[in-house]
């Protein structure tokens, strides 16, 4: 190991920064976050940096001199002048003060790691100065899997430390309690500020201690890169994943390998699971103590029956979280180059179910033909002819642009465009695979350009 990682307590300590440019700015930001007092020396200084330092330190406009080093605990040289950097490094080392010269490892006794800051949790990543770009890349990977709420978890556990010590004086008992807490749904509850429920798990006094939790997670429209960070985090801790038809295999591949995965959608060749069965399964699995991810295409609260599922969970007092996802409308529109609103063409957007009953789509058509709005029909392909006919009958222009997007956001995405009075014939000649989304409005015409 070339460098030993240590976390430096700089609260109220003076740090010398030499240089007044962008590089110095980034270092000063970190030092201020660490509550250090800054002594900045530079020939000239950017206004932004001067403003940033404000009350947090003293600025001297002058050439560097050895006397500036006196009384500081850390030195950072961020100038583009090689000989100044060398002198700063020499002076600091001679005085036994840690020194960092930006981008010059041979002049450093300490180097800055990539930092994931979820204070009080701090994670630092270093490649020993070999390749800072790689350190930043690894840092960004860590950043995406550590929830923001881990800070709350740390503070929660810190706040319970004394009480736990009193209840469980034996260190080994406490350690085991903590370990099993971090493996329990209590951890997620603390992350989400539900400290009362979390306490039940921490002190193991909750009568429902074996109870798990259900996460209703939006999987987005298909492209796994459209999963939210929170969805990804929960997919990584799931014991069981119940997934729908619309959840792509690529999304499932992002889940924990060991999680038990069960398909509960409707697909030809499969026995379909009723909504009631799904509700019962969710309750049963949670009562067995499992962390259950209910993975739904798009967003769970947009034509996703998420409301019905949480109704069943509430009735059985099962803890749950709802994680929004990118809905098909947002995903398909973006990937098809159709802005859902546009100052010149569309002032509002409506998400409508186009699911026909007995071949007829029953909607309040007068409202749907209002000008300057975009209509997005989910589940509308079966009723496409009825939708177009009704819109025209209620006054929408026959020439209104319309797009059908098949398998949006996936590598097999296809877009077919036309006008209200031509689209049915166009679609008849195409073999569009499900799922498909219909977008109607002047914004559709922009797809060609965008
Ligand atoms: C039961 S709804 C679920 C909607 C989902 N909760 C959402 O927010 O996107 C299913 C309909 O969503 C639309 N849909 C979902 N994913 C799609 C995709 N990748 N491409 C096109 N349409 C999609 C289709 O209209 C499909 O019939």
């Amino acid at each position: 190991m070339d460098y030993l990682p240590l976390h430096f307590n700089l609260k109220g300590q003076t740090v010398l920064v030499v240089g007044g440019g962008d590089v110095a700015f980034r270092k000063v930001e970190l030092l201020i976050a660490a509550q250090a007092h800054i002594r900045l020396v530079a020939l000239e200084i950017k206004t932004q940096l001067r403003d940033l330092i404000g009350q947090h330190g003293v600025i001297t406009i002058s050439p560097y001199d050895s006397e500036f080093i006196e009384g500081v605990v850390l030195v950072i040289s961020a100038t583009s002048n090689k000989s100044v950097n060398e002198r700063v490094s020499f002076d600091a080392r001679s005085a036994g003060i840690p020194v960092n010269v930006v981008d010059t490892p041979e002049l450093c006794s300490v180097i800055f790691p990539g930092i994931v800051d979820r204070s009080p949790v701090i994670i630092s990543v270093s490649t020993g100065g070999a390749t800072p770009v790689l350190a930043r890349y690894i840092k960004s990977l860590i950043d995406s899997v550590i929830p923001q709420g881990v800070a709350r978890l740390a503070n929660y556990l810190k706040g319970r430390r004394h009480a736990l010590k009193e209840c469980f004086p034996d260190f080994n008992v406490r350690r085991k309690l903590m370990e099993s807490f971090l493996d329990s749904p209590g951890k997620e509850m603390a992350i989400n500020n539900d400290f009362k429920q979390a306490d039940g798990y921490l002190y193991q006094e909750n009568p429902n201690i074996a109870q798990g939790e259900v996460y209703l997670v939006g999987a987005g429209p298909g492209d796994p890169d459209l999963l939210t960070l929170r969805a990804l985090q929960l997919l990584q801790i799931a014991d069981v994943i119940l997934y729908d038809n619309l959840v792509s295999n690529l999304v499932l591949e992002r889940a924990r390998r060991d999680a038990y995965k069960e398909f509960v959608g409707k697909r030809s060749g499969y026995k379909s699971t009723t909504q009631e069965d799904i509700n019962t399964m969710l309750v049963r699995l949670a009562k067995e103590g499992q962390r259950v991810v209910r993975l739904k295409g798009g967003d769970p609260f947009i034509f996703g029956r998420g409301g019905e599922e949480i109704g069943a969970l509430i009735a059985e007092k099962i803890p749950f979280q709802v994680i929004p996802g990118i809905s098909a409308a947002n995903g398909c529109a973006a990937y098809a180059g159709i802005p859902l609103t546009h100052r010149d063409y569309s002032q509002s957007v409506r998400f409508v179910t186009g699911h026909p009953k007995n071949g007829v789509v029953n909607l309040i058509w007068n409202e749907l033909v209002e000008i300057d709005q975009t209509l997005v029909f989910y589940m509308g392909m079966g009723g496409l002819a009825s939708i177009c006919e009704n819109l025209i009958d209620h006054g929408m222009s026959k020439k209104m642009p319309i797009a059908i997007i098949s398998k949006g956001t996936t590598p097999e995405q296809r877009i077919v465009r036309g006008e209200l009075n031509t689209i049915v014939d166009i679609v008849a000649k195409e073999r569009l695979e499900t799922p498909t989304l219909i977008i109607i409005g002047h914004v559709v015409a922009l797809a060609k350009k965008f």
Side-chain angles (χ1 to χ4, degrees):
M1 186 157 65
D2 290 334
Y3 293 87
L4 177 71
L6 293 170
H7 290 210
F8 206 156
N9 182 353
L10 286 177
K11 259 182 224 137
Q13 308 268 18
T14 302
V15 177
L16 173 66
V17 178
V18 185
D22 290 337
V23 182
F25 183 91
R26 288 196 290 276
K27 297 296 182 218
V28 167
E29 272 184 322
L30 282 175
L31 294 171
I32 290 176
Q35 302 170 56
H37 180 262
I38 319 285
R39 180 183 297 165
L40 186 129
V41 181
L43 290 175
E44 49 186 339
I45 180 168
K46 290 202 149 203
T47 320
Q48 251 187 327
L49 178 53
R50 185 186 290 279
D51 294 345
L52 176 68
I53 291 179
Q55 307 296 312
H56 300 286
V58 177
I59 297 166
T60 310
I61 300 298
S62 106
Y64 167 76
D65 189 276
S66 306
E67 70 187 26
F68 287 113
I69 262 182
E70 254 168 59
V72 305
V73 297
L74 174 67
V75 175
I76 295 166
S77 193
T79 80
S80 50
N81 185 317
K82 193 169 168 238
S83 64
V84 171
N85 286 342
E86 282 170 353
R87 209 177 130 208
V88 174
S89 172
F90 177 81
D91 288 349
R93 284 168 189 253
S94 309
I97 301 168
V99 58
N100 176 269
V101 179
V102 177
D103 277 343
T104 323
E106 62 278 14
L107 294 181
C108 296
S109 62
V110 292
I111 54 175
F112 277 83
I115 296 170
V116 178
D117 183 3
R118 303 276 194 279
S119 291
V121 178
I122 308 282
I123 302 161
S124 51
V125 180
S126 168
T127 55
T131 151
V133 177
L134 178 62
R136 277 199 293 278
Y137 175 71
I138 296 170
K139 167 196 129 63
S140 73
L141 293 181
I142 296 175
D143 230 336
S144 65
V145 292
I146 303 288
Q148 208 63 36
V150 83
R152 278 194 292 279
L153 176 63
N155 285 325
Y156 164 80
L157 289 172
K158 187 175 165 195
R160 282 1 181 219
R161 227 171 42 200
H162 287 301
L164 269 180
K165 224 174 190 171
E166 272 177 21
C167 291
F168 308 99
D170 186 318
F171 171 77
N172 280 326
V173 172
R174 272 200 320 277
R175 183 177 52 80
K176 282 195 182 127
L177 269 180
M178 288 272 199
E179 283 170 0
S180 70
F181 172 76
L182 290 176
D183 249 348
S184 79
K187 179 192 77 182
E188 282 300 315
M189 288 160 183
I191 283 177
N192 279 298
N193 263 336
D194 191 350
F195 297 156
K196 212 168 148 216
Q197 287 266 13
D199 279 347
Y201 287 90
L202 183 62
Y203 297 107
Q204 304 213 339
E205 61 194 12
N206 190 334
N208 297 326
I209 197 70
Q211 186 164 297
E213 194 174 11
V214 175
Y215 313 116
L216 242 69
V217 176
D223 182 347
D225 286 348
L226 292 182
L227 280 169
T228 63
L229 293 180
R230 187 78 186 125
L232 208 54
Q233 287 155 9
L234 292 173
L235 282 173
Q236 287 303 318
I237 62 159
D239 299 313
V240 179
I241 298 171
L242 303 183
Y243 64 97
D244 270 354
N245 199 16
L246 290 173
V247 174
S248 70
N249 286 337
L250 290 173
V251 166
L252 284 173
E253 277 172 23
R254 303 280 170 109
R256 200 179 127 225
R257 293 255 166 262
D258 298 342
Y260 172 74
K261 302 175 189 83
E262 185 161 338
F263 174 69
V264 292
K266 291 189 189 75
R267 203 179 273 172
S268 58
Y270 285 80
K271 185 173 145 276
S272 68
T273 319
T274 64
Q275 188 61 51
E276 218 162 66
D277 289 344
I278 295 173
N279 296 353
T280 309
M281 272 171 97
L282 290 174
V283 169
R284 176 177 54 77
L285 289 164
K287 283 189 173 170
E288 285 170 11
Q290 314 266 17
R291 277 171 294 205
V292 188
V293 165
R294 172 72 178 105
L295 195 57
K296 295 168 137 330
D299 179 271
F301 277 1
I302 295 182
F303 306 127
R305 305 187 75 168
E308 291 165 53
E309 288 175 13
I310 60 173
L313 298 171
I314 290 169
E316 293 287 334
K317 297 194 169 58
I318 306 285
F320 66 88
Q321 297 177 33
V322 181
I323 316 304
I326 292 185
S327 191
N330 304 96
C332 295
Y335 280 48
I338 301 172
L340 289 176
T341 65
H342 189 293
R343 283 205 327 181
D344 298 336
Y345 306 105
S346 168
Q347 317 310 321
S348 66
V349 55
R350 281 188 186 232
F351 295 170
V352 189
T353 165
H355 193 59
K357 274 192 187 137
N358 304 325
V360 181
V361 185
N362 271 322
L363 291 166
I364 307 171
W365 297 104
N366 289 337
E367 288 184 9
L368 299 185
V369 296
E370 273 172 24
I371 51 165
D372 294 346
Q373 69 176 333
T374 307
L375 302 177
V376 181
F377 284 92
Y378 288 70
M379 300 165 279
M381 265 315 252
L384 180 66
S386 168
I387 291 170
C388 295
E389 228 172 80
N390 273 296
L391 289 174
I392 294 170
D393 286 352
H394 286 79
M396 190 176 271
S397 161
K398 285 187 217 167
K399 302 246 161 243
M400 184 60 82
I402 172 169
I404 319 272
I405 299 149
S406 152
K407 296 186 127 183
T409 80
T410 72
E412 297 94 48
Q413 169 172 298
R414 286 186 60 206
I415 308 163
V416 172
R417 288 185 300 122
E419 292 167 351
L420 274 191
N421 63 341
T422 59
I423 194 75
V424 174
D425 289 341
I426 296 174
V427 166
K429 290 183 204 129
E430 304 281 342
R431 282 184 151 248
L432 288 182
E433 286 184 50
T434 58
T436 48
L437 192 83
I438 304 171
I439 306 183
I440 301 173
H442 291 294
V443 286
V444 170
L446 295 168
K448 204 169 168 200
K449 187 165 146 204
F450 290 174

